[in-house]
Amino acid sequence: MGYQVTSPVHRYLKQQQELFGDNLYLSSPDNIFAGVSQGENDKIDSLSDFNAEICHCQKCPLGKTRTNFVFGVGDPKANLMLVGEAPGEQEDMQGEPFVGRAGKLLDKILRAIGKYRDNDVYIANVIKCRPPNNRDPLPSEVEKCEPYLQRQIDLVKPKLIVALGRVAGKTLLKQDIPLKDMRGQTYDYSGTPLRVTYHPAALLRNPGLKAPAWEDFKLIRDFVNN
Ligand code: URA
């Protein structure tokens, strides 16, 4: 097969072709998409179309050094969108955000507030390609990549964005202040509420931060569930 079958429409047509050959027997759209609203289908299609559109990006030098472009993962209609800084080594290798040690801890924290990475949560990074040796993203890289994140936010339309760590917080808030001063408030990111909490890698380095992070996540849970 020369292309990937990603959208429900493609999958449906492929299945029909396998069952009936090249003759197309159309049923009403209500039957085709039973259980999935057209709005949800549009969101799934738009996100995967957008990924296909930008995944070969060469707007900054990280395009040359990446293994995989790490677009984002999760529920296209999530109420909660988590934004990290940039892919690390594991994420670069697997093409998915937060799959390394920090990601495993993030999954545990999400479970503790009754959420899962593919159910009511969408996860992305400010930068879609791994900076060499995991250095902080450069302002020039952020400038090129942040519009991609903005478009993902426009498509998902989450109720709340949570920036994970100082670098993501600084980028989204456009303020370079200590992380402890970014926490504890709800900001506005182009019309979407935004909160900032610790990066899970910081919790691995300093387990003493787990208690305040848990306070943040309880507020996050209440915000998105109410
Ligand atoms: N750290 C991040 O900020 N993002 C990832 O995807 C992985 C680790």
Side-chain angles (χ1 to χ4, degrees):
M1 186 165 59
Y3 63 95
Q4 245 191 319
V5 178
T6 49
S7 74
V9 179
H10 288 147
R11 273 199 299 277
Y12 172 77
L13 292 174
K14 186 76 196 144
Q15 194 184 35
Q16 292 295 302
Q17 190 186 35
E18 276 159 11
L19 287 172
F20 303 120
D22 286 339
N23 291 332
L24 186 58
Y25 300 99
L26 285 176
S27 35
S28 81
D30 287 355
N31 291 341
I32 298 171
F33 298 112
V36 185
S37 77
Q38 191 53 47
E40 287 171 21
N41 267 311
D42 287 349
K43 278 192 179 188
I44 296 166
D45 285 352
S46 325
L47 275 169
S48 58
D49 287 352
F50 184 48
N51 184 16
E53 189 184 316
I54 64 173
C55 67
H56 301 294
C57 178
Q58 291 293 339
K59 285 189 181 170
C60 85
L62 300 182
K64 297 262 177 302
T65 52
R66 70 170 173 241
T67 311
N68 282 297
F69 183 89
V70 183
F71 178 73
V73 72
D75 185 343
K77 52 180 178 39
N79 278 314
L80 174 60
M81 181 153 177
L82 301 174
V83 178
E85 154 185 346
E89 187 182 17
Q90 288 300 318
E91 290 75 21
D92 177 57
M93 275 169 12
Q94 298 182 41
E96 181 171 331
F98 285 98
V99 288
R101 271 186 77 221
K104 300 279 175 278
L105 177 57
L106 182 62
D107 286 343
K108 272 194 197 167
I109 298 170
L110 288 174
R111 273 204 298 280
I113 60 162
K115 307 258 173 239
Y116 300 87
R117 64 167 55 211
D118 56 357
N119 185 1
D120 208 22
V121 177
Y122 192 86
I123 308 179
N125 283 304
V126 173
I127 292 281
K128 309 298 188 216
C129 302
R130 183 190 181 203
N133 303 316
N134 300 341
R135 63 155 168 73
D136 284 357
L138 302 174
S140 57
E141 293 158 357
V142 171
E143 194 193 325
K144 296 281 185 328
C145 225
E146 194 182 351
Y148 294 158
L149 176 68
Q150 281 164 345
R151 177 92 183 108
Q152 287 173 298
I153 294 168
D154 286 349
L155 289 169
V156 175
K157 295 194 179 33
K159 207 163 158 183
L160 180 69
I161 302 167
V162 174
L164 298 170
R166 197 187 62 85
V167 173
K170 172 177 96 170
T171 305
L172 302 188
L173 291 181
K174 310 282 177 244
Q175 277 186 67
D176 197 357
I177 55 175
L179 187 117
K180 64 177 175 37
D181 299 331
M182 295 180 191
R183 291 178 55 237
Q185 291 179 58
T186 305
Y187 305 88
D188 176 278
Y189 182 75
S190 305
T192 306
L194 163 75
R195 292 185 71 91
V196 184
T197 188
Y198 296 103
H199 193 287
L203 307 183
L204 289 173
R205 281 192 304 269
N206 183 354
L209 297 177
K210 284 186 182 173
W214 177 234
E215 295 305 314
D216 290 349
F217 273 95
K218 283 192 286 185
L219 289 169
I220 291 163
R221 174 195 60 196
D222 294 347
F223 192 103
V224 290
N225 289 350
N226 287 328

